[in-house]
Every structure is written in C-alpha cells, then in structure tokens.
Amino acid sequence: MIDCGLYQGSRELDEENAEPFGFDAASIDYVLLTHAHLDHCGRLPLLTKRGFRGEIITTSASRELTRLVVLDAAYLLEEDARHRARKGGHAGAGNDVKNSLYSTLDVLNCLDNFGRTVTYSEVLAVAPGVSATFIDAGHILGSASIFLQLSEQGHSTSVLFSGDLGNAGRLLLRSPATPPRADNVVMETTYGDRRHKPLGPSIDELFEATNETFKRGGNVIIPTFAVERAQELLYFLNDGIGKGRLAKSTQVFLDSPMAISATEIFRRHPECFEPATGKLFRDGNDPFGLPGLHFTREAAESVALNNIGGGAIIMAGSGMCTGGRVRHHLQHNLGRDKSAIVFVGYAGAGTLARRIIDGAKQVRIFGEDVPVRART
Ligand SMILES: [Zn+2]
C-alpha cells in the first residue's frame, strides 16, 4: 500500500474518513509512505486500529515528522469527539474519546508498525518480487517519490508513485530528483493547472511589509503551517537579517509547539537540505537560529505575547486560521491599523484566512466581532 491519508476540509469529508477502507486492513503487509503530510499519513493509526500489523517503511525524516503529525491529529480528533459528546449531553469518563476516529493510544500502536527506514536512491528489497527506491521529491522534509520494480512468474514491470512534488530552486530543501523511466506513473494533479508566484518577489514583499509595519510601531502576524512553511520562514528571516534587509534587533516569536518540534526535527536532518544550506549547518551556522528568535511552547508564554505593542513578528498556526493560537493574535492585532497580517500560504474557501484576504471589514473570532483595520 502507498500512503494512507486523511481527508480534510469539511464535515462531509470528516465522515468519509470513518468509512470502510474497501479492503481488509489485516491483509496489508507493507505500507510505503511518501511523506508526512496529513493527507498522506493521517489514517495510518486507523489502519492499525482496524487490524494492520505489517511494516511501514519510509525515510528517517518522514518517520519523525509523521509521529508529530499523527499525534497532533489524534489530539484534535479526541478534542472534537469530547466537544461533540458535551454538546450531545453524553459526556462521561472515556465515553467521548471512544467516538473519535482514533485515539492517542492507536497512534502509539501504529508507531510500533514503523520498521525499516530508507535513504534516497537506495534499492530496498521490500518482499520477494518487490523492490522500492525512494527518490527525493523536494516537497517537504523527507518526502519521496516511490519507484517500484515488480516481478512475478517471469514478468516484470515498474510503477512510479510521484507523491507530492516540490518546486525546483527553493533554498532550503533540494529540488526534486529525476526519477528513472517507469512503465506506469501514478500521480496527483491538485496544482497541475496552477502557476505559483516566483519566490523572490514574495520574500521581498515579506521584508517590505515587516519593515513598514515596524516603522508604524505595529506587529507582524504570520499565520503559518507548522511543518515546512514555518521552517522556510525562519530560514528566509534569518537570511534577511544576515543580509541587512531586516533589522538585527527583529524579534521573532514562533508560537506553536508543533512548529517548534518540527523545527527540531529539521535540525536533525541537514542531509535533506540544499547543499549550500547543508554546508551552513555543518559549519555551525544554524539556518533557523535567528538572533531574536523565541520559542513559546507554554500557553502562558503565548498569552503574554498579547502585551507586545509592536516590533515583533509572531508566527502561529493554523495556516488558514481555522484553529490554533493564531486566532488569539488576530483578535489582538486585527483591529490595530499599525499591525499587519501576512499570509504566506494557501487559504481554502470558507476559512477565516480566506475571508480576511478577500477583504472582510469585520470577522468573528471566539464569538466576538473584530474589525479588520490591520494591513493584510
Ligand atoms: Zn504534501
């Protein structure tokens, strides 16, 4: 099996996650995992819960990130189940979590199914007649396309599962490697018809917005995804300070326990970086180690950030502002014309991020109407 992801985005899709797989989980011997995004690894704990006892094989970085991502998912699923139980009036000890798609315990059992780890380009004999090569997909840390060579009764064929592919020419991760010729290719086309903005001008915009906001005396709030985007931002901000495009005194708060953990995982895997960034690292220059960087893990530290009137960059999740600590920072900064909200990623229809980007004059956060006066 290749990947076992979670549907995300709406109530209906949430329900779809609980449907039968369409196969017997216990009959699966191996899962080869392309990368640690939730839509590729998010139902692995459910697979285990339903009887899978085989081996999950992936890269070392993906294994570490997956642990973080599915533990977080279980926490959110349990929270959601508790919330529903309270609303339905049948909250009780243990009663609530039973109704979640899977629990933290299922995640722990699933982590036991992780077996061999692979390095890029190594040919791994998965089982008789099945060998797999993981090829750097340049998408997120540890991501891979999987090239399968299959043979049975004298016949052989090859299948390439692309996984998600990154863009070439980014500075932190390597560009996607070219896979070998394959008889069959299986790939997603989610962004196949979309043109991405080039990176350079976007970074210029981020620096300009930051400098202008600091001149006005406000804060810069950046809603961000915890894995990959947050680390990329730290890297660009560090680079900007090093090149004198941002003040050395710039204070950056990474206000997301998950993003902090993900950053630590990145630091453990410099082998996945662009050669120049990898060298920086080996020379003892941490590309995520900005002079004014603060990690705020504890909730109390996060709340204390509300007292900062200006001059700070605050990065927090979730990227689309549908949950997480960023909503508190929006509540405190959206109404201030000195502050700025900088969106750095995709915002789905119907999300709070989308409403702000589309120019809403007022939004509702924690049941309170907040006027939008900050620059976006
Ligand atoms: Zn992905």
Side-chain angles (χ1 to χ4, degrees), residues 198-225:
L199 192 59
S202 303
I203 297 170
D204 293 344
E205 268 178 60
L206 170 65
F207 291 167
E208 269 164 41
T210 302
N211 289 328
E212 276 170 26
T213 307
F214 285 1
K215 238 181 261 163
R216 288 197 303 272
N219 294 316
V220 176
I221 309 298
I222 309 182
T224 181
F225 297 99

